[in-house]
Amino acid sequence: MKVIGSRLALQAILAIALSAAGRADGADRGYSRGSLHAKIEYCTLCHGLSGQGYRGFVPIPRLAGQQPEYFENQLRAFVEGRRQNRYMSNAARGLSAATRAAIAEHFSGLHARPWGGAPRGLVATGKRIYQDGDPETNVPACMACHGPDAKGQDAIPRLAGQLPDYIFNKLVNWSRERGQDPANPDVSAVMLPTSHNLTRSQISAIAAYLSYQP
Amino acid sequence: MMKLIRSKIAVVALVASAIPALADDLSSAATRNCTWCHGTSAQGYANAPRLAAQRQQYILNQLLGFRTHARDNPFSKQYMWGAAANLSLARAHALASYFSTLPPRAANDGHRDLAAAGRALYEDGDPDSNTVACSVCHGPSGEGIGGIPRLGGLSYDYLKRKLRQWGEGYHAAAEPPMPLIARKLSPDEIEVIASYLSFVK
């Protein structure tokens, strides 16, 4: 009886200790494992199971391998109205900072094949502009910030393997979509002159080049 | 001399009239086979959905999906597997093209009082319940694009059944994401979305 009693007591202590640790862990994280899993699944319904993107009515961007700092900044920008997007300003609602960070970390670790699909004939021109810029039109080399492999760093996004029509749309619409809160200017302003100076055919070429980058 | 030319012209005319111009001939046998169930103006009838104004690429993908048995719900199995089994690719293309050009009529058979809620869910989704906005892929007015089908004006009964079937584990011709999405919809969400869409022109 004594042995059974002490074994039961030990199990009881272990159970309480483990469950307490679980509760404290969840509270520290700022989300529960279940709700994070559900939220990530929700993201993948549009952005693809591997975060590879999807061509819906509008091109839905690839998230796989995206820079976490950039990712988190965009989620905040959508909700704060600094970045305009009729779908994302709603979809990104109600996320805690910890959840945003966890989602960003999840997608940054995913791998997907580059989307490609752009006209191959544009790639050479796009590569030249990406690597050398275009001094005639005051366009700096994209590579200088986005990196020679177009994987970005910190707050500068990865572009490699992105949907070409997504890149095209964002560059063409930059001033209409980013930095939309004049009271809170953000880092997206750094792309204003470049996106303005690039011609549409140059944008098409860059987008084509990037879509094939691994 | 003139008699010979006239008779030759008559022969050519006879032969030409025997070749069915499939894409625009409502009386061709292949088209009649479809409209037998889908309605003479392809607006749909009972369990058979409207084909009029449906996306050409989508129709083609479904015909191929019936051939490969990818699309496996009970009605597909009972009717469409047989119907599509002997379709040549050229004929499938022609049928898809033909039906995509027919003018649609909205089914208007949903619950009117649920339409407003359905519209909100269709256009914006609901992040609190992790419900995606259908409009991201199916377009702001349910028009679809490419291989993504037009939903506007389809029958409430048909839409409801499809969404439920995917929740029950039946497959779509194009997977993912629709079975995944439909599995997560609550019965109430299915009711309001299907109702709203049935009224969309």
Side-chain angles (χ1 to χ4, degrees), chain A residues 40-68:
Chain A
I40 288 177
E41 206 175 24
Y42 167 61
C43 305
T44 64
L45 290 177
C46 289
H47 288 275
L49 284 172
S50 311
Q52 72 271 27
Y54 187 73
R55 216 178 235 130
F57 195 79
V58 292
I60 302 169
R62 169 196 174 123
L63 300 179
Q66 188 50 272
Q67 292 296 333

Short mmCIF file of all heavy atoms in Angstrom, two decimals, chain A residues 40-68:
data_model
loop_
_atom_site.label_atom_id
_atom_site.label_comp_id
_atom_site.label_asym_id
_atom_site.label_seq_id
_atom_site.Cartn_x
_atom_site.Cartn_y
_atom_site.Cartn_z
N ILE A 40 -1.59 29.28 -39.19
CA ILE A 40 -0.65 28.99 -40.28
C ILE A 40 -1.36 28.25 -41.40
O ILE A 40 -1.17 28.55 -42.59
CB ILE A 40 0.56 28.18 -39.76
CG1 ILE A 40 1.46 29.09 -38.90
CG2 ILE A 40 1.35 27.59 -40.91
CD1 ILE A 40 2.62 28.37 -38.28
N GLU A 41 -2.22 27.30 -41.03
CA GLU A 41 -2.98 26.55 -42.03
C GLU A 41 -3.84 27.51 -42.86
O GLU A 41 -3.97 27.39 -44.08
CB GLU A 41 -3.87 25.54 -41.32
CG GLU A 41 -4.20 24.34 -42.15
CD GLU A 41 -4.99 23.32 -41.34
OE1 GLU A 41 -5.65 23.71 -40.35
OE2 GLU A 41 -4.93 22.14 -41.70
N TYR A 42 -4.44 28.49 -42.18
CA TYR A 42 -5.26 29.51 -42.82
C TYR A 42 -4.44 30.28 -43.86
O TYR A 42 -4.90 30.51 -44.97
CB TYR A 42 -5.81 30.41 -41.72
CG TYR A 42 -6.45 31.71 -42.11
CD1 TYR A 42 -7.58 31.75 -42.92
CD2 TYR A 42 -5.98 32.91 -41.58
CE1 TYR A 42 -8.19 32.95 -43.21
CE2 TYR A 42 -6.59 34.11 -41.87
CZ TYR A 42 -7.70 34.13 -42.69
OH TYR A 42 -8.31 35.32 -42.97
N CYS A 43 -3.19 30.64 -43.51
CA CYS A 43 -2.33 31.34 -44.46
C CYS A 43 -2.08 30.47 -45.70
O CYS A 43 -2.11 30.96 -46.83
CB CYS A 43 -0.99 31.71 -43.83
SG CYS A 43 -1.08 32.65 -42.31
N THR A 44 -1.83 29.18 -45.45
CA THR A 44 -1.45 28.31 -46.57
C THR A 44 -2.60 28.04 -47.52
O THR A 44 -2.37 27.64 -48.66
CB THR A 44 -0.92 26.94 -46.08
OG1 THR A 44 -1.96 26.25 -45.39
CG2 THR A 44 0.28 27.10 -45.17
N LEU A 45 -3.85 28.25 -47.08
CA LEU A 45 -4.98 28.01 -47.97
C LEU A 45 -4.90 28.91 -49.19
O LEU A 45 -5.34 28.55 -50.27
CB LEU A 45 -6.30 28.21 -47.24
CG LEU A 45 -6.64 27.15 -46.19
CD1 LEU A 45 -7.93 27.49 -45.47
CD2 LEU A 45 -6.75 25.77 -46.82
N CYS A 46 -4.38 30.13 -49.04
CA CYS A 46 -4.20 31.03 -50.17
C CYS A 46 -2.76 31.00 -50.69
O CYS A 46 -2.53 31.01 -51.89
CB CYS A 46 -4.56 32.46 -49.81
SG CYS A 46 -6.34 32.73 -49.59
N HIS A 47 -1.80 30.99 -49.77
CA HIS A 47 -0.41 31.13 -50.17
C HIS A 47 0.25 29.80 -50.50
O HIS A 47 1.43 29.77 -50.87
CB HIS A 47 0.39 31.84 -49.06
CG HIS A 47 0.07 33.30 -48.95
ND1 HIS A 47 0.68 34.27 -49.73
CD2 HIS A 47 -0.81 33.96 -48.17
CE1 HIS A 47 0.18 35.46 -49.41
NE2 HIS A 47 -0.71 35.31 -48.47
N GLY A 48 -0.50 28.69 -50.40
CA GLY A 48 0.06 27.40 -50.79
C GLY A 48 0.61 26.64 -49.60
O GLY A 48 1.16 27.23 -48.69
N LEU A 49 0.49 25.30 -49.67
CA LEU A 49 0.91 24.47 -48.55
C LEU A 49 2.39 24.62 -48.23
O LEU A 49 2.81 24.51 -47.09
CB LEU A 49 0.60 23.00 -48.85
CG LEU A 49 -0.86 22.62 -48.71
CD1 LEU A 49 -1.11 21.21 -49.21
CD2 LEU A 49 -1.31 22.75 -47.27
N SER A 50 3.21 24.87 -49.27
CA SER A 50 4.64 25.10 -49.02
C SER A 50 4.98 26.58 -49.10
O SER A 50 6.15 26.94 -49.25
CB SER A 50 5.49 24.35 -50.06
OG SER A 50 5.10 23.02 -50.17
N GLY A 51 3.94 27.44 -49.03
CA GLY A 51 4.18 28.86 -49.16
C GLY A 51 4.67 29.25 -50.55
O GLY A 51 5.33 30.28 -50.70
N GLN A 52 4.33 28.44 -51.55
CA GLN A 52 4.86 28.69 -52.88
C GLN A 52 4.11 29.76 -53.64
O GLN A 52 4.55 30.20 -54.70
CB GLN A 52 4.86 27.38 -53.72
CG GLN A 52 3.49 26.92 -54.16
CD GLN A 52 2.82 26.01 -53.15
OE1 GLN A 52 3.10 26.08 -51.96
NE2 GLN A 52 1.93 25.15 -53.62
N GLY A 53 2.96 30.24 -53.13
CA GLY A 53 2.14 31.21 -53.83
C GLY A 53 1.08 30.52 -54.66
O GLY A 53 1.06 29.29 -54.77
N TYR A 54 0.18 31.31 -55.26
CA TYR A 54 -0.90 30.74 -56.07
C TYR A 54 -1.42 31.80 -57.00
O TYR A 54 -1.48 32.98 -56.66
CB TYR A 54 -2.03 30.26 -55.15
CG TYR A 54 -3.15 29.50 -55.85
CD1 TYR A 54 -2.95 28.21 -56.30
CD2 TYR A 54 -4.39 30.10 -56.04
CE1 TYR A 54 -3.98 27.52 -56.94
CE2 TYR A 54 -5.42 29.41 -56.67
CZ TYR A 54 -5.21 28.12 -57.12
OH TYR A 54 -6.22 27.44 -57.74
N ARG A 55 -1.80 31.37 -58.20
CA ARG A 55 -2.36 32.35 -59.13
C ARG A 55 -3.88 32.31 -59.03
O ARG A 55 -4.54 31.51 -59.68
CB ARG A 55 -1.91 32.03 -60.54
CG ARG A 55 -1.67 33.31 -61.31
CD ARG A 55 -1.17 33.07 -62.69
NE ARG A 55 0.06 33.80 -62.91
CZ ARG A 55 1.15 33.28 -63.40
NH1 ARG A 55 1.19 32.01 -63.70
NH2 ARG A 55 2.21 34.02 -63.56
N GLY A 56 -4.45 33.15 -58.16
CA GLY A 56 -5.90 33.20 -58.06
C GLY A 56 -6.43 34.25 -59.00
O GLY A 56 -5.88 34.46 -60.08
N PHE A 57 -7.46 34.96 -58.58
CA PHE A 57 -7.95 36.06 -59.38
C PHE A 57 -6.87 37.14 -59.45
O PHE A 57 -6.71 37.84 -60.44
CB PHE A 57 -9.24 36.63 -58.79
CG PHE A 57 -9.98 37.51 -59.74
CD1 PHE A 57 -10.76 36.96 -60.75
CD2 PHE A 57 -9.89 38.90 -59.66
CE1 PHE A 57 -11.44 37.77 -61.65
CE2 PHE A 57 -10.58 39.71 -60.55
CZ PHE A 57 -11.34 39.15 -61.55
N VAL A 58 -6.13 37.25 -58.34
CA VAL A 58 -4.93 38.09 -58.30
C VAL A 58 -3.77 37.17 -57.98
O VAL A 58 -3.96 36.12 -57.37
CB VAL A 58 -5.04 39.20 -57.23
CG1 VAL A 58 -6.10 40.21 -57.60
CG2 VAL A 58 -5.33 38.60 -55.86
N PRO A 59 -2.54 37.54 -58.39
CA PRO A 59 -1.40 36.70 -58.01
C PRO A 59 -1.15 36.79 -56.51
O PRO A 59 -1.01 37.89 -55.98
CB PRO A 59 -0.23 37.26 -58.82
CG PRO A 59 -0.66 38.61 -59.27
CD PRO A 59 -2.14 38.67 -59.25
N ILE A 60 -1.11 35.63 -55.85
CA ILE A 60 -0.91 35.56 -54.40
C ILE A 60 0.55 35.18 -54.19
O ILE A 60 1.00 34.15 -54.68
CB ILE A 60 -1.85 34.51 -53.77
CG1 ILE A 60 -3.31 34.86 -54.09
CG2 ILE A 60 -1.62 34.41 -52.28
CD1 ILE A 60 -4.30 33.77 -53.74
N PRO A 61 1.32 36.02 -53.46
CA PRO A 61 2.76 35.84 -53.46
C PRO A 61 3.28 34.62 -52.72
O PRO A 61 2.65 34.10 -51.80
CB PRO A 61 3.27 37.13 -52.77
CG PRO A 61 2.15 37.57 -51.92
CD PRO A 61 0.90 37.18 -52.66
N ARG A 62 4.45 34.21 -53.16
CA ARG A 62 5.23 33.20 -52.47
C ARG A 62 5.69 33.75 -51.14
O ARG A 62 6.11 34.91 -51.04
CB ARG A 62 6.45 32.86 -53.33
CG ARG A 62 7.49 32.02 -52.63
CD ARG A 62 8.81 32.05 -53.39
NE ARG A 62 9.85 31.36 -52.65
CZ ARG A 62 10.54 30.33 -53.13
NH1 ARG A 62 10.32 29.90 -54.35
NH2 ARG A 62 11.46 29.75 -52.40
N LEU A 63 5.59 32.94 -50.08
CA LEU A 63 6.09 33.33 -48.76
C LEU A 63 7.28 32.46 -48.35
O LEU A 63 7.98 32.79 -47.40
CB LEU A 63 4.98 33.17 -47.70
CG LEU A 63 3.70 33.99 -47.90
CD1 LEU A 63 2.71 33.69 -46.79
CD2 LEU A 63 3.99 35.48 -47.96
N ALA A 64 7.48 31.36 -49.05
CA ALA A 64 8.53 30.41 -48.66
C ALA A 64 9.89 31.09 -48.68
O ALA A 64 10.28 31.70 -49.67
CB ALA A 64 8.52 29.21 -49.61
N GLY A 65 10.62 30.95 -47.57
CA GLY A 65 11.96 31.50 -47.51
C GLY A 65 12.02 33.01 -47.36
O GLY A 65 13.07 33.61 -47.58
N GLN A 66 10.88 33.62 -47.00
CA GLN A 66 10.89 35.09 -46.88
C GLN A 66 11.61 35.52 -45.62
O GLN A 66 11.62 34.81 -44.61
CB GLN A 66 9.45 35.60 -46.89
CG GLN A 66 9.30 37.11 -46.95
CD GLN A 66 10.13 37.76 -48.04
OE1 GLN A 66 11.30 38.10 -47.83
NE2 GLN A 66 9.53 37.94 -49.21
N GLN A 67 12.23 36.71 -45.65
CA GLN A 67 12.94 37.26 -44.49
C GLN A 67 11.94 37.53 -43.37
O GLN A 67 10.96 38.25 -43.57
CB GLN A 67 13.65 38.56 -44.88
CG GLN A 67 14.80 38.36 -45.84
CD GLN A 67 15.91 37.55 -45.23
OE1 GLN A 67 16.09 37.55 -44.00
NE2 GLN A 67 16.65 36.83 -46.06
N PRO A 68 12.17 36.99 -42.16
CA PRO A 68 11.18 37.14 -41.07
C PRO A 68 10.92 38.60 -40.70
O PRO A 68 9.77 38.96 -40.45
CB PRO A 68 11.82 36.39 -39.90
CG PRO A 68 12.82 35.47 -40.50
CD PRO A 68 13.29 36.11 -41.77
#
